[in-house]
Amino acid sequence: SSGINAEYGNPAKRNALSLDMLNHVISDIESVSPQSRCIVIRSTGSVFSSGHDLKELAAASQEIQYSIFNRCNDLMILISRSSVPILASVDGFATAAGCQLVAACHMAVCSDRSKFASRGENKRENCSR
């Protein structure tokens, strides 16, 4: 079986990793055949991912916030344990949890426009708890 191209995005929200987006990526990875050669994760727009959706987090209860962070953790573990190599195709900014997503992948291919930051711009702390 050939490789799988998984393109995600909500450029209006800078491809933030909302709970819906996290669930979508996890579902897609889990549905890939073990015989696939690779999975390529890419995004639309000029930002690979700005990290967590800060508006979603601000509006959420503490319980929902924890479930978002736990789901993000689930994604990173799923990637690291995948028997199918997962490649991040980065063309633009990857910050906070978006940078974490790139780092979790087995390999990253980046354009000249790619830039990385482990902390989000609005918060001066790491996104993980």
Side-chain angles (χ1 to χ4, degrees):
S1 180
S2 64
I4 306 297
N5 280 303
E7 188 166 320
Y8 305 101
N10 184 348
K13 289 193 167 192
R14 301 174 63 81
N15 298 321
L17 295 174
S18 65
L19 185 56
D20 285 343
M21 178 79 75
L22 291 166
N23 286 331
H24 186 69
V25 176
I26 288 169
S27 175
D28 283 353
I29 292 172
E30 289 176 337
S31 69
V32 169
S33 165
Q35 286 74 38
S36 295
R37 295 185 64 161
C38 71
I39 301 167
V40 179
I41 296 176
R42 68 182 78 232
S43 62
T44 57
S46 62
V47 176
F48 178 78
S49 176
S50 60
H52 290 293
D53 185 335
L54 298 180
K55 288 182 182 178
E56 177 183 57
L57 287 171
S61 67
Q62 187 174 24
E63 182 180 333
I64 298 297
Q65 289 175 355
Y66 284 132
S67 67
I68 293 168
F69 289 124
N70 286 335
R71 201 62 176 148
C72 186
N73 189 51
D74 292 343
L75 173 59
M76 303 310 159
I77 291 169
L78 179 65
I79 290 170
S80 71
R81 293 182 178 166
S82 174
S83 62
V84 177
I86 300 178
L87 174 108
S89 177
V90 184
D91 181 30
F93 289 98
T95 60
C99 184
Q100 183 181 2
L101 174 60
V102 175
C105 289
H106 299 104
M107 180 182 283
V109 176
C110 308
S111 73
D112 299 10
R113 299 178 334 132
S114 299
K115 294 185 182 188
F116 303 89
S118 61
R119 296 177 184 216
E121 290 186 33
N122 294 339
K123 303 280 184 187
R124 298 295 180 226
E125 58 192 43
N126 289 324
C127 58
S128 300
R129 299 214 175 210

